[in-house]
């Protein structure tokens, strides 16, 4: 079940939609709006985040967005490890999951 989004003003006057998702395994909120990647660290800290983070992206997404996300997380004092995977459907397999599992343990 999905609640209808409501428009809220974010701290930087950017319109952000907060969408609540409810399902048997738990509830969560998704934010949709411009400039959110650059504010990710602040949003996580405001939400009570403590600890480390691991950012996983394929080569294409990494090239476009990781510098913004890493800067945001690190500026907010969140220690982050980056894992970059090859792009493409062929790499979405159990070998990649095993690799991620090992890298998560090292992070």
């Amino acid at each position: 079940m999905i609640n209808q989004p409501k428009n809220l003003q974010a701290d930087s006057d950017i319109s952000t939609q907060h969408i609540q998702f409810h399902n048997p395994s738990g509830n969560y909120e998704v934010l949709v709006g411009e400039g959110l990647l650059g504010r990710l660290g602040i949003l996580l800290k405001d939400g009570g985040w403590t600890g480390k983070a691991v950012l996983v992206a394929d080569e294409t997404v990494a090239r476009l967005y990781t510098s913004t996300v890493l800067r945001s997380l690190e500026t907010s004092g969140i220690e982050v490890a980056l894992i970059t995977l090859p792009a493409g459907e062929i790499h979405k397999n159990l070998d990649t999951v095993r690799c991620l599992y090992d890298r998560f343990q090292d992070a």
Side-chain angles (χ1 to χ4, degrees):
M1 176 180 166
I2 301 173
N3 287 345
Q4 291 297 317
K6 52 186 175 183
N7 287 323
L8 299 176
Q9 289 296 323
D11 296 340
S12 60
D13 289 329
I14 298 172
S15 180
T16 302
Q17 291 183 337
H18 295 244
I19 305 170
Q20 298 291 326
F21 288 86
H22 305 283
N23 65 59
S25 63
N27 302 324
Y28 59 94
E29 180 179 42
V30 174
L31 302 180
V32 179
E34 291 183 39
L36 292 175
L37 290 179
R39 296 181 44 237
L40 182 59
I42 293 168
L43 292 167
L44 288 173
K45 283 292 193 176
D46 288 351
W49 183 270
T50 58
K52 299 178 182 180
V54 178
L55 177 60
V56 179
D58 74 21
E59 296 163 334
T60 303
V61 172
R63 187 175 60 254
L64 296 171
Y65 301 108
T66 56
S67 63
T68 300
V69 174
L70 290 173
R71 184 173 37 255
S72 177
L73 294 173
E74 291 167 350
T75 299
S76 295
I78 297 173
E79 184 181 340
V80 59
L82 173 62
I83 300 173
T84 304
L85 302 172
E89 292 298 314
I90 193 167
H91 300 289
K92 296 178 182 176
N93 56 50
L94 289 177
D95 288 334
T96 300
V97 172
R98 285 185 203 97
C99 175
L100 284 172
Y101 181 77
D102 292 340
R103 301 275 306 272
F104 289 156
Q105 287 183 318
D106 295 337

